[in-house]
Amino acid sequence: MPGIRMPVWRHPGPWLFALLLCLAGASWGQAPGELAVSGEGFAARTITAAELAALPRVTVQTKTSNGVVNYEGVALFELLKFAKAPLQGEIRGDKLRLIVVAKAADGYRVVFALAELDPSIAPGTVIVADRRDGQPLPAAEGPLRIVAPGDKRPARSARQVQSITLKRVE
């Protein structure tokens, strides 16, 4: 039809590249296997895969519909201590208001009370896992995953974890 102009495809420019990175779950400034740790009372830092591998390791078992799975990693409480979170002394009084938030690449977040992570208070061990059945975590789960073996359902076993934050509940 005369007078009607059809849109012309133009090169999408840099915005398409940025969009693709976001959709792929890319994390600026964070290499695979690194974990950002921050929170109240201590300086934010990034824990590298090498630092994580050098920390004391624990193995926990979980049951799935396909059988028993062994996850290996670092106790979340020990990871917070390594990051210099203010955890010295007993967890009591005002420290009972501290929570730990783990955030995954897709925005999923899980929360633990700090007291349930302290081995002197709670019986289970929540870990930041980097291995499953002796192998690095598959891409769909890792490179890091929170595993809470004491939970009846794996709702707080967050995969592709990128950050841990210590917060105070008011």
Side-chain angles (χ1 to χ4, degrees), residues 81-161:
K81 286 188 343 188
F82 176 76
K84 307 267 190 268
L87 304 180
Q88 63 279 2
E90 292 182 359
I91 304 294
R92 63 181 188 169
D94 197 42
K95 288 184 183 176
L96 290 172
R97 294 180 20 212
L98 294 173
I99 62 169
V100 177
V101 181
K103 182 180 174 191
D106 63 359
Y108 189 71
R109 289 177 175 86
V110 295
V111 176
F112 298 92
L114 181 63
E116 70 182 308
L117 302 176
D118 184 342
S120 71
I121 296 174
T125 301
V126 175
I127 70 169
V128 177
D130 58 0
R131 301 185 73 73
R132 176 182 170 161
D133 292 330
Q135 301 296 318
L137 291 175
E141 284 188 69
L144 300 175
R145 179 183 184 123
I146 295 287
V147 180
D151 288 358
K152 290 182 180 180
R153 291 186 310 115
R156 293 191 300 174
S157 290
R159 56 187 176 197
Q160 298 179 342
V161 173

Side-chain angles (χ1 to χ4, degrees), residues 52-53 55-58 72-79 126-129:
L52 190 69
L55 291 171
R57 312 285 289 172
V58 293
E72 181 185 326
V74 176
L76 182 51
F77 192 76
E78 293 302 317
L79 185 78
V126 175
I127 70 169
V128 177

Side-chain angles (χ1 to χ4, degrees), residues 35-38 76 79-80 100-102 146 161-166:
L35 185 64
V37 181
S38 62
L76 182 51
L79 185 78
L80 287 167
V100 177
V101 181
I146 295 287
V161 173
Q162 294 182 325
S163 68
I164 304 290
T165 307
L166 184 65

